[in-house]
Amino acid sequence: MTTPGCNILKGLSPDDYRTVRQSTVDMVLATDMTKHFECLKKFENLMKVSPLVDGEQPQIPVTTEMKIAAKRILIKTADIANPCRPQKLCEEWTRRIAEEYFIQTEEEKKRGLPVNLPVFDRTTCNIPKSQVQFIEYFILDLFAAWDMFTEIREPMEHLQANYQLWKDRAVLEEERRSTILNHHSSSVCRPSPDDSARGSSSTASLDEVPS
């Protein structure tokens, strides 16, 4: 903004500048996930409308408060919309995001810092399961509300397909891990051929000791 020729707000009046700046700051702060449910609840309350009249869809009142709430939800949906992408893109960006968090967790442990996202431990994380939890906790209600406000049929279709994909893969991953764990446990408990031979020899020796 301070670079010559780059101040896109230069032509605004002081009042308009303050309005644009305040709106921009507000939308950035809306992406703070600690405010997620507060923003969503307010948006849902503002969308409460009267029942259908003569079979027509009621109009959601467009007030200043609703405009602000809608802008917040718009930036939030853009910020965490990966589950609403086509499957190939959703999978690729899930992989990239998980890798970023894995690296962050490893760096925090290396530096002796508090681990912000302990679930993203490279050695234990079930990525499909983490996606299912993320979708259920943050995504479903958010996009249902936004779809009610302005129909988004295609992203909602992608969301349902990706949700089912991750649920199926989460089950398969749990089964895979359980199989590995059971195999490891049985390997630990099963005596080796040498152990069996030594056991037989010891038994034979005891049998040969005269009473």
Side-chain angles (χ1 to χ4, degrees), residues 109-163:
K109 289 181 177 180
K110 180 180 177 181
R111 294 171 178 255
L113 299 172
V115 176
N116 289 315
L117 296 167
V119 69
F120 282 98
D121 183 315
R122 193 186 298 275
T123 62
T124 60
C125 182
N126 181 334
I127 293 178
K129 185 176 180 180
S130 75
Q131 289 303 295
V132 171
Q133 293 172 337
F134 178 68
I135 290 171
E136 291 177 343
Y137 196 64
F138 291 111
I139 301 296
L140 293 178
D141 289 345
L142 174 66
F143 278 86
W146 191 243
D147 185 48
M148 186 182 298
F149 181 75
T150 175
E151 186 179 355
I152 48 170
R153 182 180 56 82
E154 187 173 342
M156 293 299 287
E157 289 175 355
H158 291 319
L159 172 57
Q160 291 304 319
N162 290 325
Y163 181 37

